[in-house]
Amino acid sequence: MTHHGLFISFEGIDGAGKSTHINSLAHAFQSAGRIVTLTREPGGTLLAEKLRAMVLGDAMDPLTESLLIFAARRDHVVRVIAPALLRGEVVLCDRFTDATFAYQGAGRGFDLKVLATLERWVQADHGLLSDPSGNHPMAPGIETVIEPHLTIWFDLPPEEAALRLAGARVPDRFESQPVDFFRRVAHGYRERQRSHAERFARIDASRSRDHVWANILKVFIEKGWLQAQEVP
Ligand code: TMP
């Protein structure tokens, strides 16, 4: 049976609890016989992981930060995401461009129009998603810009996220930001959901882990991408 590639991203402020659910979804898709590419941003390739270390560790101005993140994204799209989609795989990506609009745009106050331009440049398809026979694995309408089919947004009040993060591992440049920064980031995600409602699924991340997992599964089952009996 041939499968169409599926590109799914996971978003939310730091501390929203994405990781365990992403891993569980990978298992669920594998149990259903799908090949899964599990990846993250910034990162996902050797070059992009180097850029990630700079972005998370070194002080820089918001334009430099945005350019490095989009440079990492281009490498990731070209080398990992587009090829996996062409092979018909399920790509589960921990964060993608919505994070740039939320963190660099809303959080840092960087120009959203510049980010939108970078998004169009960096995610331009330009044949990346067409195999030699002309087949194209993405749904019609998104041939020109590669973007997720579905974005699971873990929505959590910033105050609660701050409590969850307190005492966790040594914070990076983003995790160490004050709660006001995360209020702006959360607002940025809400705005992104409004402008991209067709691909956003909001999950109330303040609920128990089991409840959050059940709600995520519901989204996938309703779309027909997983069957209830296939979930381990
Ligand atoms: P992670 O801890 O979820 O892997 O994410 C790394 C950090 O990078 C997180 O604090 C959010 C931040 N980030 C941005 O600021 N902009 C972006 O475009 C992405 C993908 C992540």
Side-chain angles (χ1 to χ4, degrees):
M1 182 181 173
T2 52
H3 286 293
H4 288 295
L6 275 182
F7 180 16
I8 298 146
S9 64
F10 301 85
E11 298 284 358
I13 58 175
D14 292 270
K18 295 174 275 115
S19 310
T20 49
H21 297 296
I22 298 175
N23 287 325
S24 304
L25 265 177
H27 286 132
F29 273 109
Q30 282 159 347
S31 305
R34 300 291 305 257
I35 297 178
V36 173
T37 290
L38 197 55
T39 188
R40 69 172 181 181
E41 289 223 345
T45 68
L46 279 177
L47 174 61
E49 290 291 334
K50 288 185 198 163
L51 294 171
R52 175 190 174 95
M54 293 179 197
V55 168
L56 298 191
D58 298 341
M60 61 188 75
D61 79 279
L63 174 57
T64 310
E65 189 173 286
S66 301
L67 291 172
L68 289 183
I69 287 172
F70 270 113
R73 181 161 301 135
R74 179 70 189 167
D75 196 54
H76 191 208
V77 166
V78 171
R79 289 181 202 252
V80 173
I81 296 176
L85 291 173
L86 263 181
R87 291 191 299 267
E89 295 178 11
V90 177
V91 177
L92 302 181
C93 190
D94 188 347
R95 301 189 186 282
F96 196 63
T97 304
D98 299 313
T100 318
F101 280 82
Y103 280 77
Q104 281 63 49
R108 300 262 198 243
F110 188 66
D111 191 335
L112 296 178
K113 286 203 204 85
V114 176
L115 294 182
T117 302
L118 290 169
E119 179 184 32
R120 279 197 304 280
W121 279 4
V122 163
Q123 291 159 236
D125 177 343
H126 292 323
L128 278 177
L129 283 179
S130 296
D131 68 20
S133 61
N135 288 331
H136 196 288
M138 304 292 276
I142 46 174
E143 287 94 338
T144 50
V145 173
I146 297 172
E147 63 170 11
H149 295 101
L150 170 69
T151 297
I152 301 286
W153 171 36
F154 292 78
D155 190 18
L156 184 71
E159 297 73 17
E160 202 169 320
L163 283 178
R164 289 187 189 180
L165 281 179
R169 59 204 158 103
V170 182
D172 61 35
R173 273 179 72 232
F174 295 100
E175 290 164 340
S176 55
Q177 291 291 318
V179 74
D180 254 356
F181 174 82
F182 288 106
R183 287 197 188 104
R184 294 196 297 276
V185 173
H187 177 73
Y189 275 126
R190 270 195 298 282
E191 290 295 302
R192 232 10 216 178
Q193 183 202 23
R194 246 175 240 147
S195 56
H196 295 73
E198 71 294 343
R199 70 169 164 83
F200 259 76
R202 176 188 170 274
I203 300 289
D204 180 355
S206 65
R207 308 295 300 267
S208 72
R209 184 180 289 192
D210 285 352
H211 199 279
V212 168
W213 175 237
N215 280 339
I216 293 172
L217 277 183
K218 204 162 142 228
V219 173
F220 284 84
I221 290 167
E222 277 171 8
K223 286 192 172 289
W225 294 347
L226 285 172
Q227 310 292 319
Q229 66 274 17
E230 285 170 351
V231 176

